[in-house]
Amino acid sequence: MLSPHPGTWLYPTDHGLYCEPGQFFIDPHRPVDRAVITHGHGDHARSGHGAALATPATIEIMKVRYGPQSAGRFEAADGALDVNGVSVRLAPAGHILGSAQVVLEWQGVRAVASGDYKRQPDPTCAPFELVPCDLFITEATFGLPVFKHEPADKEVRRLCASLKANPERSHLLGVYNLGKCQRMIVLMRGAGFDRPIYLHGALRSLCDLYERLGIGLGELRDVMSAKPGELAGAMVLCPPSAINDRWSRRLADPITSFASGWMRVRARARQRGVELPLVVSDHCDWPELLRTIAETQAEEVWVTHGRDDALVYQIGKMGKRGRALALVGFEDEDD
Ligand SMILES: [Zn+2]
Ligand SMILES: [Zn+2]
């Protein structure tokens, strides 16, 4: 029997990507009866689903961010499950703690929806698992040849060198509160930075959760409870939106920094007034996207969101069928 083309049973709808025989959506942006959630970032994990199937860590993240009742029912995925005849397995995506690719098998066809993923090592989560498949579904946040991320440990060494060279000035580092924050802390600890790290209040609850889930972050202090003078020369982390707001005026002559794949673009760093841009991303850069697409050996590749033109064109040059899904509801918030 010829296998049905995956586009006949897995397709985009106005709620998001839908698996028809399984009767579930993957990372839907509106409430649905049953959702499979790849990871805890806000553009993938939303509250209000009847049932949310995810890894145990993603479920914990959702409960911290949205509350314990944020889904009618949470289902922790462990190994392969049968969902209405479709085999569903969550494989590590290497993006943030708990992040997963959704591996679907139905009538002899394997499709992998990778969510957000990266290939660079990250001490705060399990590494990306390469799953050969017929259809690979990828994002394209950094889907242009200009995007090439630096090795994260190299960027962290630059930050540590600046701390050493400027012992009187505090360093204010903008980080997304889920994933990037904890990765930067663990990398700094690995680079030998053993002093307390000060946190903006918005970063505290997810750092506490990482600690509870076994990711050691060293001594963290709340910046608001620091005594006068204590912050001179201190390492302070805050959400990107707080780098230049009133809050940061309590710091003495801070050196502002931001860890993001967008820091490759100098204009973006200037726009935000960032003195020390660090090109650290939790997404694939262009070479990683192409390498992964080649390694999956998929004949067909769908691009969910991001800079899809260049990537779909490149997929065609690789001898594969490429398709831009242009799914809505995804942002660049978590890069
Ligand atoms: Zn993400
Ligand atoms: Zn995303």
Side-chain angles (χ1 to χ4, degrees):
M1 190 183 82
L2 275 175
S3 299
H5 184 270
T8 62
W9 56 273
L10 182 66
Y11 46 83
T13 71
D14 59 1
H15 284 60
L17 194 61
Y18 184 58
C19 174
E20 189 179 286
Q23 295 169 46
F24 58 82
F25 292 82
I26 298 173
D27 291 349
H29 59 95
R30 292 185 195 161
V32 298
D33 285 347
R34 196 167 201 193
V36 178
I37 307 293
T38 59
H39 66 286
H41 280 142
D43 53 338
H44 299 259
R46 295 172 193 264
S47 61
H49 302 307
L53 191 150
T55 63
T58 295
I59 291 172
E60 293 309 311
I61 290 167
M62 289 179 74
K63 287 178 176 172
V64 166
R65 299 190 106 184
Y66 310 129
Q69 312 293 335
S70 52
R73 186 171 90 247
F74 284 105
E75 302 173 64
D78 228 349
L81 314 164
D82 182 290
V83 182
N84 302 319
V86 179
S87 162
V88 178
R89 182 171 76 86
L90 299 185
H95 174 57
I96 61 164
L97 182 63
S99 66
Q101 311 169 71
V102 184
V103 182
L104 305 174
E105 284 182 64
W106 193 63
Q107 299 197 352
V109 176
R110 186 187 288 160
V112 173
S114 54
D116 292 340
Y117 65 102
K118 71 172 177 291
R119 307 298 298 271
Q120 265 204 33
D122 179 342
T124 66
C125 63
F128 178 88
E129 177 188 327
L130 185 85
V131 182
C133 53
D134 304 293
L135 166 65
F136 186 62
I137 305 174
T138 182
E139 48 107 356
T141 302
F142 293 107
L144 284 174
V146 298
F147 289 111
K148 176 90 180 65
H149 308 323
E150 298 295 332
D153 50 355
K154 177 186 151 207
E155 296 297 88
V156 166
R157 282 198 300 274
R158 287 175 53 217
L159 176 62
C160 291
S162 177
L163 277 156
K164 231 185 206 145
N166 301 280
E168 299 304 314
R169 297 181 68 184
S170 26
H171 282 61
L172 180 60
L173 173 66
V175 286
Y176 294 107
N177 72 351
L178 171 57
K180 189 67 61 60
C181 170
Q182 297 79 20
R183 184 184 182 200
M184 292 303 288
I185 292 172
V186 172
L187 286 172
M188 289 192 74
R189 297 310 190 197
F193 186 85
D194 52 10
R195 283 151 48 194
I197 291 177
Y198 292 83
L199 297 181
H200 181 283
L203 304 179
R204 175 52 84 169
S205 60
L206 285 165
C207 285
D208 289 348
L209 175 64
Y210 268 60
E211 289 266 2
R212 277 209 303 286
L213 296 178
I215 311 289
L217 301 176
E219 187 184 349
L220 304 177
R221 292 186 188 167
D222 293 321
V223 72
M224 294 313 268
S225 45
K227 293 177 201 67
E230 193 180 328
L231 295 174
M235 184 67 230
V236 182
L237 269 58
C238 69
S241 60
I243 294 176
N244 292 308
D245 75 7
R246 297 178 61 81
W247 168 87
S248 65
R249 288 181 205 161
R250 58 188 284 116
L251 306 177
D253 189 22
I255 291 177
T256 54
S257 185
F258 184 23
S260 163
W262 297 114
M263 291 298 98
R264 173 62 69 204
V265 185
R266 281 175 199 280
R268 287 229 192 185
R270 267 198 308 271
Q271 226 171 45
R272 285 184 176 265
V274 173
E275 283 172 73
L276 182 62
L278 304 176
V279 189
V280 178
S281 177
D282 288 327
H283 291 262
C284 284
D285 62 10
W286 178 255
E288 284 177 90
L289 285 170
L290 299 191
R291 174 187 148 207
T292 306
I293 287 166
E295 287 179 356
T296 63
Q297 296 170 29
E299 283 177 19
E300 182 148 350
V301 180
W302 295 353
V303 182
T304 53
H305 66 287
R307 280 125 205 91
D308 50 23
D309 299 5
L311 189 58
V312 168
Y313 177 74
Q314 189 66 31
I315 289 164
K317 290 214 322 195
M318 293 164 82
K320 302 171 184 296
R321 277 189 306 276
R323 177 182 167 198
L325 300 184
L327 293 181
V328 299
F330 293 98
E331 291 124 31
D332 300 330
E333 265 317 294
D334 58 356
D335 52 18

